[in-house]
Amino acid sequence: MEAHSVFLILFGVIATAIVVDGQGQAGFISIDCGAPPNINYVDTDTGISYTWDAPFINAGVNVNVSEEYGCHSHLLLLNPSELRLLKFRNASENVVKEILSFAESDTLYICLVNKGKGTPFISALELRPMNSSIYGTEFGRNVSLVLYRRWDTGYLNGTGRYQKDTYDGIWSPYSPVSWNSTMTTGYIDIFQSGYRPPDEVIKTAASPKSDDEPLELSWTSGDPDTRFYAYLYFVELENLKRNESRKIKIFWNESPVSGAFNPSSEYSMTVSNSRAFTGKDHWISVQKTADSTRPPILNAIEIFTAQSLDEFSTTVEDGMFISTTYIS
């Protein structure tokens, strides 16, 4: 069980099943919620194996999501802690929630609870086993990490989900007009750490158009008590000359995240904050050091919020439970 003690859980509350590129599926669980009885299939475009939901669910009915659902919301629970309120503006809106959580047993219980604003529904549920040594926080197993943003900062016409992405993440482009993008076709070792970003993401990088400027990312939190963690990815993609150097330092709201470092040209590096940052306004700045001759770079970044696993009592009459059993 230890090798599979952390799960990436994709909740697809959309009108059609989520599909992904055909990567290796060891340990993948992909449920097409609402599929006809006894349906098991391999998606012809992606190679991902899907199954129907009846073996996993103990309440609910199959329906077509239509305009009759209108604007509503429901609560998402995991084992059975309150995690996230899901809100929909209209029936055509696609909402995907991604959660990293420790599995304390071989069975996970997931519940969608009616909050009085519409019948809860789900279109797909996907579980992916993770490396338990990564995405650590000072709270240990007492929190789940909920994805806030996953940005491919060196984006060059990628698809967002990639065949060789071990953890089957969704990478969104982030390319401000003040940034340049560069890429390499050479080999990059992604196995030095457990994060293993896909080649299509790690082989591109962003840099400022002005060499002396930093790379800056900012956002505003609706709750100043929300705890944020960021995981920044770096690889040197240029062949630096003997008299050239690239040394980087990272600040979050003017507080240092790490000491100065030189990105490796051989393998991907991941830098993260060891303690959560809170507050309303957030600003991450990737800067060159005073003795660096080359500008800063950033290949990718993931931002998560930490959600405490406070017990939340509910009953099957309140909503719909899904249980998945993991067999190692």
Side-chain angles (χ1 to χ4, degrees):
M1 184 62 190
E2 181 61 28
H4 307 293
S5 60
V6 183
F7 282 90
L8 181 152
I9 308 170
L10 293 173
F11 300 90
V13 274
I14 60 180
T16 58
I18 299 173
V19 294
V20 299
D21 288 343
Q23 63 275 78
Q25 299 180 50
F28 282 20
I29 296 176
S30 303
I31 304 172
D32 183 349
C33 302
N38 299 307
I39 289 295
N40 297 281
Y41 65 92
V42 176
D43 185 272
T44 55
D45 294 327
T46 67
I48 293 291
S49 300
Y50 286 85
T51 187
W52 65 314
D53 59 13
F56 305 94
I57 195 167
N58 63 0
V61 296
N62 292 349
V63 298
N64 290 322
V65 179
S66 63
E67 294 296 335
E68 68 187 67
Y69 275 83
C71 179
H72 69 284
S73 63
H74 56 265
L75 190 66
L76 173 65
L77 304 180
L78 175 65
N79 271 354
S81 305
E82 180 174 355
L83 283 175
R84 188 64 62 182
L85 183 66
L86 306 180
K87 296 182 179 180
F88 300 82
R89 291 185 291 268
N90 54 65
S92 63
E93 182 178 11
N94 295 346
V95 177
V96 178
K97 292 296 180 182
E98 182 176 319
I99 298 169
L100 289 172
S101 187
F102 282 94
E104 300 297 343
S105 71
D106 289 334
T107 301
L108 293 174
Y109 293 93
I110 297 154
C111 183
L112 301 171
V113 177
N114 188 347
K115 293 293 289 182
K117 295 184 178 181
T119 303
F121 65 92
I122 184 171
S123 294
L125 174 63
E126 303 182 9
L127 289 86
R128 309 293 185 246
M130 303 287 290
N131 185 325
S132 61
S133 67
I134 59 178
Y135 297 109
T137 74
E138 72 263 38
F139 304 104
R141 300 191 178 195
N142 296 319
V143 297
S144 289
L145 292 179
V146 180
L147 182 66
Y148 180 75
R149 296 288 186 272
R150 180 183 286 114
W151 283 324
D152 179 359
T153 52
Y155 174 82
L156 289 170
N157 301 317
T159 62
R161 302 184 85 166
Y162 301 105
Q163 182 175 358
K164 295 182 179 179
D165 190 345
T166 303
Y167 303 129
D168 185 22
I170 302 173
W171 299 86
S172 301
Y174 187 87
S175 303
V177 295
S178 60
W179 293 8
N180 286 323
S181 292
T182 186
M183 69 173 296
T184 184
T185 57
Y187 174 76
I188 300 296
D189 183 357
I190 63 170
F191 301 103
Q192 289 285 332
S193 69
Y195 291 93
R196 300 185 179 183
D199 276 358
E200 293 86 348
V201 171
I202 205 63
K203 287 186 176 182
T204 63
S207 62
K209 289 185 176 179
S210 175
D211 284 2
D212 292 325
E213 292 296 317
L215 294 169
E216 295 183 336
L217 307 95
S218 62
W219 68 94
T220 299
S221 173
D223 181 358
D225 294 324
T226 298
R227 296 166 292 184
F228 284 95
Y229 292 88
Y231 302 84
L232 296 85
Y233 295 83
F234 299 91
V235 172
E236 178 59 70
L237 302 183
E238 298 182 22
N239 293 319
L240 300 182
K241 300 176 181 178
R242 287 181 176 272
N243 62 343
E244 292 181 322
S245 65
R246 193 188 314 273
K247 187 178 289 187
I248 292 173
K249 55 184 179 180
I250 305 170
F251 291 89
W252 191 327
N253 291 353
E254 300 184 350
S255 296
V257 173
S258 71
F261 64 94
N262 301 91
S264 170
S265 61
E266 298 179 353
Y267 56 87
S268 63
M269 303 170 58
T270 306
V271 179
S272 63
N273 51 306
S274 59
R275 292 189 173 275
F277 279 86
T278 60
K280 181 179 180 181
D281 298 314
H282 294 267
W283 167 72
I284 294 178
S285 180
V286 183
Q287 307 175 9
K288 61 180 287 188
T289 62
D291 58 344
S292 177
T293 65
R294 302 295 294 145
I297 60 170
L298 177 62
N299 299 72
I301 181 172
E302 297 177 290
I303 305 171
F304 291 86
T305 63
Q307 178 73 54
S308 296
L309 300 182
D310 298 326
E311 288 302 312
F312 183 86
S313 60
T314 188
T315 66
V316 70
E317 287 77 15
D318 294 326
M320 174 178 62
F321 279 93
I322 303 171
S323 64
T324 62
T325 300
Y326 196 94
I327 302 174
S328 57

